[in-house]
């Protein structure tokens, strides 16, 4: 009697559930597999579920700032909803004009605004969304048990149908199913959902992302046939011979099960039937399939399994298809083995994201991401830090993408305090009142996803420290699924619970730290669940991690952070449609541009660093072939350039003499079709005319500084090297020397010093010959005690923008620690900057042999061209629409001015960009520039 009273009490909705971690599901059905079902062969062939009715589309909607202000009785059939507006489902309420958009990384969204501790919420700042949907039941569903599925609701919600309370649920990223049979009617149904943005669940969902709310995944009704497979677990495996597939299907049936039967048919990709016969739902039917193709990344072969359900009269009442692969994943002798072979995870973390729709992504978004995975040789994904939509798992099955399926759990704000580990009030920790709700999250993910071949690891969540509650999650996975391993990085911070994870998983560990671990011959293999933090212009030094895998078998790869920049389209104060990051929406607190760490931009286009990912995630054989092709192409280019220079030297012998004009302030040099005017006051050439076209805006200057990358800022280099910013902007010419001024050659040298960096000197020597070749030699003389040097080179500005630039060298944007993926050859582009959300140094092209600037000149049908080529050694260069100072001063791309010029920087030394992390790790030593050493640059301009 007492239990019945408690059940009835629970079926009366109570706002106090929002702050009770022990109440996380009321009236919710048990989680089950994500299979589909059909009534007959015709439906199956068309893949159309007649027993499913979508409720996506326009709903009535009201938004309230807190529970006290909500329309508390809106669920009543007689309620006045005339003031309600409209909203689209699925979708976030904040992206449809309601509430506050907010991006936060580690701290909780209310930090500094409300003095809270788990499981409290601020009742005055806890937005509520009231959804209403009227519908008639599709005839196909009539007369059958009917349920509803809400695939994703953030963060907690209450549900009513036709004035009757149905249930309550938390966990934003797994489906919530409810039985509507006793409340539904054929016509005029009134469905009401009250969604709360704040609840005790918020302490567990502190992921590094934009904080949204609402019904953001699909909603649909479904009916069950006379006999129905409620849950399906294929339990597919692969025998030790790697050719024998195994199945032991376990089914949970509902409906009129007495006398019902289930038959199973297994077919290969060609349609050949490998097995056909009855199966026992209890899982005791052991099916062995000879001569199967083992599933892996290179061979993602899926077999079709079809269950036919018959009622007691032998009539077919349900058909349930599922695709599966046969594979064996195990930890053996300290190694992760797939089908008996060591596996390497060339992975990436992936948030569900769209710049238009936030996390309410579409099939097209997922298809585009998978296409990018294939192009980039990515073979693994971690669903950071929550389960994704089911279709993504289908795509991973089909494309051989190894998955870490991660529970919706992240509570780093409860123990990471400004970088320090302080777990005094960590949740869930070992608190008994939080245990069941986190285990439920693990169970909900497991039950939905357990049939997906691609999943190799279950993950207990992310950055939630460690304790008895997460240990209980690990035990659940181990006890229920011996075919997979369990992953959790948080034990690194609390070794008392090391047994939670089957692997040593860390984030952003340096190559040196990983080497130290592996040299100790540990029991557990090593995975980087996050590495190569790709914030802005980053991803330098990836080679060091890949080389570890070649040296140590127990290093088994990692997952780049992360896939896509999190940014949203918005309209700025000038009416422009631009991409916004944290803080651009008026929210505080925020973590600003830390939302942008992807290997693709927010619109899905590839970042320049992607060619490096593609290279290092290819096979050693593919990399060797790439390197050999580059060597051959570079050697051929060098030979061709040497022959060309030899020809030019020959022409120089017969070229007419130079005309040298010595003025009081300038030294003019004129030849056949060209003119150079050297200024003593401006400390360099102020005019460079070739075939009547002017190529200089002002005299070139030493390039000693670059706009700070986000890694430069995070590791402190930008501040440490600030003196070079002043040196770059305020170089002082200390003298000049005309070394030669004959009819065949003119040479003048300028010396520069820098008040901001005493002791450093630069000399730039210009030599013009009769053939119209202007040779430039720049030398940097360092001095002890100076801060690190960002770059060394010569910078010049064109008076009008270049219309195009072509170069012979490595493709794309490359840096010393991120250039192996470049392809050597001839490349062209229009000068631009990549779409980094925050402008920063960019556009460098390493190992260049030659480049050509083009300009459109009024009255000339063909573009004017100016050629720059190496003298002995390759150089680096960039050609951008902006100066380094302009890039530095802008927080957003749209703040950059329209300069109408092109800034060309030719470099002899370039600092790497780094990528170990974006908050402390320096560029690897090999890619830093010493200021105590001399640096040299030589190149030539053909006039």
């Amino acid at each position: 009697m007492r239990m019945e009273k408690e059940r009835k009490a629970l079926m009366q909705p109570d706002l106090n559930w929002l702050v009770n971690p022990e109440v996380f599901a009321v009236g919710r059905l048990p989680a089950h597999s994500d299979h589909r079902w059909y009534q007959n062969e015709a439906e199956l062939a068309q893949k159309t579920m007649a027993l499913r009715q979508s409720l996506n589309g326009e709903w009535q909607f009201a938004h309230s700032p807190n529970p006290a202000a909500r329309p508390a009785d809106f669920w009543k059939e007689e309620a006045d909803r005339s003031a309600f507006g409209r909203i689209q489902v699925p979708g976030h309420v904040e992206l449809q004009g309601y509430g506050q958009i907010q991006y936060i990384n580690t701290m909780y969204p209310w930090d500094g605004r409300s003095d809270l501790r788990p499981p409290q919420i601020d009742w005055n700042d806890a937005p509520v969304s009231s959804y209403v949907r009227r519908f008639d039941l599709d005839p196909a569903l009539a007369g059958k048990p009917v349920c509803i599925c809400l695939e994703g609701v953030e963060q907690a919600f209450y549900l009513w149908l036709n004035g009757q309370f149905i249930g309550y649920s938390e966990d934003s990223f797994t489906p919530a199913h409810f039985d509507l049979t006793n409340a539904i009617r054929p016509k005029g149904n009134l469905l009401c959902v009250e969604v709360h943005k704040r609840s005790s669940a918020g302490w567990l969902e502190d992921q590094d992302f934009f904080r949204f709310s609402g019904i953001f995944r699909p909603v649909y009704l479904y009916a069950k046939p006379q006999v129905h497979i409620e849950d399906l677990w294929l339990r597919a495996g692969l025998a030790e011979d790697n050719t024998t597939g195994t199945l032991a299907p376990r089914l949970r049936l509902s409906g009129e099960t007495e006398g019902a039967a289930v038959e199973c048919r297994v077919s290969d990709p060609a349609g050949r039937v490998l097995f056909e016969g009855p199966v026992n739902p209890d899982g005791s039917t052991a099916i062995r399939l000879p001569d199967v193709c083992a599933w892996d990344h290179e061979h993602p072969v899926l077999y079709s399994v079809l269950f036919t359900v018959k009622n007691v009269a032998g009539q077919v009442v349900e058909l349930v298809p599922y695709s599966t692969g046969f594979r064996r994943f195990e930890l053996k002798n300290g190694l992760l083995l797939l089908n008996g072979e060591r596996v390497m995870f060339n992975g990436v973390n992936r948030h569900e994201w769209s710049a238009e729709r936030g996390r309410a992504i579409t099939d097209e978004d997922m298809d585009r991401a998978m296409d990018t995975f294939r192009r980039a040789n990515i073979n693994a994904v971690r669903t950071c830090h929550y389960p994704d939509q089911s279709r993504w798992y289908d795509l991973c099955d089909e494309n051989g993408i190894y998955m870490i399926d991660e529970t919706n759990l992240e509570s780093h704000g409860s123990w990471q305090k400004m970088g320090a580990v302080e777990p005094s009030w960590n949740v869930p920790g070992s608190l008994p009142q939080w245990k069941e709700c986190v285990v439920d999250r693990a169970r909900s993910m497991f039950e939905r996803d357990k049939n997906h071949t691609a999943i190799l690891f279950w993950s207990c969540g992310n950055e939630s420290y460690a304790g008895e509650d997460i240990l209980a999650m690990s035990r659940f996975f181990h006890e229920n699924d011996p075919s997979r391993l369990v992953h959790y990085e948080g034990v690194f911070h609390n070794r008392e619970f090391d047994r939670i994870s089957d692997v040593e998983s860390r984030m952003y560990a340096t190559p040196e730290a990983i080497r130290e671990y592996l040299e100790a011959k540990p029991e557990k293999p090593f995975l980087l669940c996050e590495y190569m933090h790709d914030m802005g212009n980053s991803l330098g030094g990836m080679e060091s991690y890949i080389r570890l895998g070649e040296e140590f078998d127990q290093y088994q790869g990692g997952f780049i952070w992360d896939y896509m920049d999190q940014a949203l389209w918005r309209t700025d104060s000038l009416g422009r449609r631009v991409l916004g990051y944290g803080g651009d929406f008026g929210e505080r607190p925020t973590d600003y541009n830390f939302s942008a760490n992807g290997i693709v931009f927010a619109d899905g286009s590839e970042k320049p660093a992607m060619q490096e990912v593609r290279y290092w995630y290819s096979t050693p054989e593919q990399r060797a072939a790439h390197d050999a092709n580059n060597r051959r192409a570079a050697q051929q280019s060098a030979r061709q350039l040497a022959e060309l220079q030899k020809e030019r030297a020959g022409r120089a012998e017969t070229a007419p003499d130079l005309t040298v004009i010595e003025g009081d302030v300038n030294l003019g040099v004129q030849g056949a079709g060209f003119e150079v005017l050297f200024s003593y006051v401006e400390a360099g050439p102020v005019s460079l005319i070739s075939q009547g076209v002017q190529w200089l805006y002002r005299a070139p200057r030493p390039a000693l500084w670059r706009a700070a990358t986000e890694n430069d800022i995070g590791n402190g280099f930008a501040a440490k090297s600030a003196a070079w910013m002043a040196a770059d902007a305020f170089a002082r010419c200390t003298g000049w020397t005309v070394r030669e001024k004959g009819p065949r050659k003119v040479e003048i040298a300028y010396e520069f010093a820098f008040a901001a960096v005493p002791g450093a000197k630069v000399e730039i020597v210009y030599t013009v010959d009769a053939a119209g070749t202007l040779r430039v030699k720049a030398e940097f003389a360092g001095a002890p005690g100076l801060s690190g040097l960002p770059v060394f080179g010569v910078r010049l500005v064109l008076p009008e923008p270049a219309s195009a630039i072509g170069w012979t060298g490595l493709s794309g944007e490359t840096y010393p620690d991120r250039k192996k993926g470049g392809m050597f050859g001839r490349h062209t582009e229009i000068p631009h900057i990549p779409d980094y959300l925050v402008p920063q140094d960019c556009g460098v092209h390493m190992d260049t042999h030659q480049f050509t600037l083009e300009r459109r000149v009024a009255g000339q049908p063909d573009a004017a061209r100016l050629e720059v080529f190496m003298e002995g050694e390759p150089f680096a260069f960039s050609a951008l629409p902006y100066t380094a100072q302009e890039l530095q001063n802008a927080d957003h791309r749209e703040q950059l001015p329209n300069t109408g010029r092109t800034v060309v920087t030719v470099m002899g030394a370039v600092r790497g960009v780094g990528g170990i992390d974006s908050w402390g790790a320096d560029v690897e030593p090999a890619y830093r520039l010493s200021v105590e050493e001399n640096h040299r640059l030589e190149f030539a301009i053909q006039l």
Side-chain angles (χ1 to χ4, degrees):
M1 181 65 70
R2 184 175 64 85
M3 290 182 64
E4 179 63 17
K5 287 182 178 179
E6 290 177 353
R7 188 191 69 81
K8 288 182 177 179
L10 278 176
M11 290 310 292
Q12 297 300 314
D14 188 342
L15 282 180
N16 289 321
W17 294 346
L18 294 169
V19 290
N20 185 350
E22 295 181 280
V23 180
F24 48 85
V26 177
R28 196 180 72 194
L29 296 173
H32 59 73
S33 54
D34 61 354
H35 63 280
R36 299 169 68 88
W37 58 93
Y38 305 90
Q39 296 179 102
N40 50 55
E41 293 282 355
E43 279 187 23
L44 175 62
Q46 296 175 1
K47 295 185 178 180
T48 301
M49 283 186 67
L51 297 183
R52 178 178 290 189
Q53 179 179 344
S54 173
L55 296 182
N56 295 342
E58 187 175 81
W59 292 44
Q60 284 185 279
F61 182 79
H63 188 262
S64 309
N66 54 57
R70 81 196 194 284
D73 295 332
F74 84 110
W75 51 271
K76 294 181 178 179
E77 295 198 70
E78 66 275 15
D80 179 8
R81 288 176 286 272
S82 59
F84 277 43
R86 302 288 177 179
I87 199 167
Q88 286 293 316
V89 171
H92 304 294
V93 303
E94 292 82 359
L95 299 187
Q96 300 185 67
Y98 302 96
Q100 176 64 61
I101 298 171
Q102 183 180 26
Y103 165 70
I104 285 283
N105 178 14
T106 59
M107 59 181 157
Y108 284 102
W110 47 83
D111 188 81
R113 298 271 181 158
S114 305
D115 187 12
L116 304 174
R117 284 294 181 264
Q120 299 169 343
I121 66 172
D122 183 346
W123 291 97
N124 294 316
D125 184 16
V128 183
S129 296
S130 304
Y131 289 82
V132 176
R133 179 71 152 85
R134 294 185 180 275
F135 67 92
D136 295 334
L137 191 64
D138 283 354
L141 281 66
K144 298 178 176 65
V146 176
C147 299
I148 189 172
C149 175
L150 297 95
E151 289 197 347
V153 181
E154 194 169 8
Q155 180 177 82
F157 70 93
Y158 300 79
L159 178 70
W160 293 264
L161 180 65
N162 297 328
Q164 181 177 328
F165 179 63
I166 301 298
Y168 170 83
S169 183
E170 298 174 7
D171 187 353
S172 300
F173 295 95
T174 55
H177 298 260
F178 298 90
D179 190 346
L180 304 182
T181 305
N182 293 331
I184 205 162
R185 52 198 182 211
K187 301 283 186 182
N189 289 283
L190 178 71
L191 181 70
C192 299
V193 186
E194 185 177 273
V195 180
H196 290 257
K197 189 171 184 175
R198 300 285 183 250
S199 70
S200 60
W203 296 97
L204 304 177
E205 297 184 12
D206 188 36
Q207 286 93 336
D208 173 12
F209 59 15
F210 279 84
R211 309 306 172 94
F212 295 129
S213 64
I215 305 173
F216 69 98
R217 286 181 180 171
V219 181
Y220 53 85
L221 308 172
Y222 61 89
K224 303 176 184 179
Q226 182 183 10
V227 187
H228 175 57
I229 296 179
E230 290 279 354
D231 183 63
L232 157 67
W233 192 6
L234 293 171
R235 296 196 295 171
L238 183 71
E240 292 284 341
D241 64 5
N242 283 352
T243 63
T244 302
T246 62
L247 282 176
R250 182 184 296 171
L251 313 174
R252 177 160 52 88
L253 303 182
S254 67
E256 300 175 21
T257 60
E258 186 70 30
V262 181
E263 295 178 355
C264 176
R265 185 175 73 214
V266 183
S267 306
D268 67 14
R272 183 171 61 97
V273 176
L274 306 182
F275 171 85
E276 191 163 23
V279 293
N280 194 325
D282 65 8
S284 60
T285 305
I287 302 172
R288 293 180 67 83
L289 305 166
D291 301 322
V292 301
C293 181
W295 183 95
D296 61 18
H297 177 65
E298 289 76 25
H299 311 94
V301 180
L302 296 178
Y303 291 75
S304 298
V305 183
L306 179 65
F307 294 97
T308 301
V309 181
K310 297 180 179 180
N311 63 15
V312 66
Q315 299 168 325
V316 174
V317 293
E318 185 176 61
L319 297 168
V320 176
Y322 215 99
S323 296
T324 191
F326 297 102
R327 55 113 182 103
R328 186 178 68 260
F329 185 58
E330 57 194 330
L331 175 57
K332 194 172 184 179
N333 299 324
L335 294 177
L336 300 172
L337 304 179
L338 181 63
N339 307 331
E341 299 290 332
R342 172 178 174 255
V343 62
M344 180 63 70
F345 293 89
N346 296 327
V348 67
N349 286 271
R350 175 182 167 272
H351 273 291
E352 293 185 313
W353 192 252
S354 160
E356 295 277 6
R357 296 172 296 277
R359 288 186 290 277
I361 63 172
T362 64
D363 288 355
E364 290 75 20
D365 294 322
M366 289 182 266
D367 290 339
R368 186 177 182 187
M370 187 55 68
D371 288 342
T372 303
F373 273 38
R374 285 193 292 261
R375 288 195 306 273
N377 299 316
I378 293 168
N379 74 359
V381 66
R382 177 176 176 231
T383 68
C384 60
H385 302 290
Y386 44 81
D388 292 341
Q389 292 190 38
S390 280
R391 188 168 183 277
W392 180 247
Y393 298 78
D394 293 337
L395 290 173
C396 290
D397 291 342
E398 294 163 7
N399 290 276
I401 302 299
Y402 309 137
M403 300 187 77
I404 295 180
D405 198 10
E406 191 143 273
T407 309
N408 177 24
L409 172 61
E410 179 155 9
S411 64
H412 51 184
S414 72
W415 65 276
Q416 285 184 349
K417 316 294 172 58
M418 296 178 65
V421 175
E422 197 286 285
S424 61
W425 53 273
N426 167 240
V427 287
S430 297
L431 301 171
Q433 65 268 37
W434 292 85
K435 178 180 174 181
E436 289 306 316
C437 68
V438 296
V439 172
D440 177 74
R441 287 165 180 253
R443 180 184 297 109
S444 294
M445 176 182 72
F446 164 78
E447 295 292 0
R448 188 196 68 167
D449 299 339
K450 57 183 177 283
N451 291 306
H452 287 283
T453 308
I455 298 171
L456 302 185
F457 285 100
W458 300 115
S459 177
C460 295
N462 185 63
E463 293 185 295
S464 298
Y465 201 57
E468 293 292 341
D469 294 0
I470 294 178
L471 178 60
M473 298 169 69
S474 176
R475 285 174 176 158
F476 169 83
F477 289 131
H478 280 120
E479 291 168 2
N480 285 275
D481 188 3
S483 71
R484 296 180 173 100
L485 300 177
V486 175
H487 164 273
Y488 184 62
E489 176 270 343
V491 300
F492 174 72
H493 302 283
N494 189 354
R495 290 299 187 182
E496 180 186 351
F497 292 93
D498 202 59
R499 60 195 182 278
I500 288 174
S501 182
D502 293 322
V503 293
E504 176 73 7
S505 175
R506 297 189 196 175
M507 296 179 177
Y508 310 108
T510 65
E512 294 75 21
I514 299 170
R515 176 178 295 277
E516 181 181 356
Y517 173 83
L518 294 171
E519 285 178 341
K521 299 187 176 0
E523 291 184 8
K524 293 181 180 181
F526 190 99
L527 274 182
L528 279 164
C529 65
E530 295 177 20
Y531 83 121
M532 286 281 100
H533 196 263
D534 197 29
M535 187 173 178
N537 187 359
S538 183
L539 217 82
M542 191 172 177
E543 176 175 6
S544 297
Y545 291 101
I546 302 302
R547 297 302 183 201
L548 285 171
E550 297 172 355
E551 185 177 352
F552 298 97
D553 286 345
Q554 282 191 293
Y555 179 80
Q556 300 203 241
F559 296 77
I560 293 169
W561 187 265
D562 58 354
Y563 177 66
M564 178 177 281
D565 282 355
Q566 292 184 62
L568 292 165
W569 289 111
R570 70 184 186 98
T571 301
D572 72 3
S573 59
L574 299 178
R576 298 171 296 186
R577 189 172 188 260
V578 298
L579 282 169
Y581 52 74
D584 287 341
F585 305 93
E587 81 272 30
R588 300 295 185 275
T590 185
D591 282 301
Y592 300 97
N593 57 307
F594 212 75
S595 63
N597 321 127
I599 53 176
V600 302
F601 295 112
D603 65 358
S605 60
E606 294 185 5
K607 281 187 179 177
M610 187 64 94
Q611 69 176 4
E612 199 76 357
V613 176
R614 188 175 294 112
Y615 174 83
W616 288 114
Y617 277 180
S618 63
T619 66
E621 295 76 18
Q622 290 169 328
R623 293 200 299 268
H626 174 96
D627 294 345
N629 289 336
N630 275 0
R631 281 194 299 272
R632 285 192 295 270
Q635 290 166 358
Q636 182 180 3
S637 170
R639 287 193 299 269
Q640 291 172 343
L641 190 56
E643 292 171 2
L644 183 59
Q645 289 172 308
K646 193 173 181 180
E647 291 176 12
R648 286 171 175 162
R651 290 198 298 269
E653 295 178 2
T654 60
D657 286 348
L658 296 169
T659 299
V660 180
I661 304 171
E662 295 187 70
D664 295 328
V665 179
N666 302 300
L667 177 65
V669 182
Q670 298 174 0
F674 67 90
E675 175 186 280
V676 184
L677 185 65
F678 293 101
S679 169
Y680 305 136
V681 175
E682 292 291 325
V686 292
S687 177
L688 204 65
I689 296 176
S690 175
Q691 306 303 318
V693 177
Q694 176 64 262
W695 288 94
L696 278 182
Y697 172 62
R698 295 288 293 270
R701 282 291 180 269
L704 302 170
W705 177 78
R706 70 184 187 193
T709 67
E710 285 162 290
N711 289 347
D712 288 342
I713 295 169
N715 63 33
F717 178 77
K720 294 174 186 175
S721 64
W724 292 110
M725 180 181 183
D728 185 276
F730 302 108
R732 179 172 59 89
C733 181
T734 58
W736 68 89
T737 304
V738 179
R739 295 180 176 176
E740 186 173 347
K741 52 181 177 181
R744 309 304 297 171
K745 184 171 73 171
V746 173
E747 185 171 284
I748 182 169
Y750 296 90
E751 294 179 355
F752 297 89
F754 315 94
V757 281
K761 296 179 181 178
V762 171
E763 181 184 68
I764 303 179
V765 180
Y766 299 95
T767 305
V768 187
D769 66 22
T773 302
L774 172 63
R775 291 178 171 82
V776 183
K777 181 172 69 174
E779 293 188 88
F780 171 90
L786 300 178
S787 61
L789 185 66
V791 67
F792 172 64
V794 175
R795 183 175 293 122
L796 57 94
V797 181
L798 306 189
E800 295 182 9
S803 58
I805 184 164
W807 73 98
T808 301
L810 294 176
S811 61
E813 178 189 83
T814 49
Y815 284 80
D817 55 353
R818 200 192 74 208
K819 68 177 186 177
K820 296 284 286 193
M823 182 178 297
F824 195 96
R826 187 67 182 174
H827 314 283
T828 59
E829 67 181 23
I830 298 172
H832 70 288
I833 64 169
D835 293 333
Y836 299 125
L837 285 178
V838 177
Q840 56 200 281
D841 186 73
C842 58
V844 171
H845 305 292
M846 299 296 299
D847 296 351
T848 302
H849 288 194
Q850 181 268 356
F851 69 88
T852 303
L853 298 166
E854 293 188 6
R855 276 179 51 204
R856 292 291 174 185
V857 180
Q860 295 187 11
D862 298 323
R865 291 178 174 82
L866 188 71
E867 180 187 1
V868 180
F869 54 90
M870 69 180 185
E871 284 278 287
E873 294 295 326
F875 54 78
F877 85 98
S878 65
L880 305 175
Y882 312 105
T883 66
Q885 289 79 7
E886 287 165 342
L887 292 171
Q888 182 69 41
N889 289 338
D891 293 325
H892 296 78
R893 291 174 55 85
E894 57 271 20
Q895 294 173 350
L896 290 165
N898 186 3
T899 63
R901 299 190 178 94
T902 297
V903 180
V904 179
T905 308
V906 186
M907 293 160 274
V910 183
R911 175 181 164 89
V913 291
I916 291 173
D917 62 43
S918 299
W919 50 88
D922 200 355
V923 171
E924 293 180 294
Y927 306 112
R928 303 172 197 167
L929 299 185
S930 169
V931 292
E932 297 186 4
E933 298 177 3
N934 295 343
H935 299 285
R936 183 184 179 95
L937 166 67
E938 291 189 60
F939 63 94
I941 302 172
Q942 188 61 44
L943 300 173

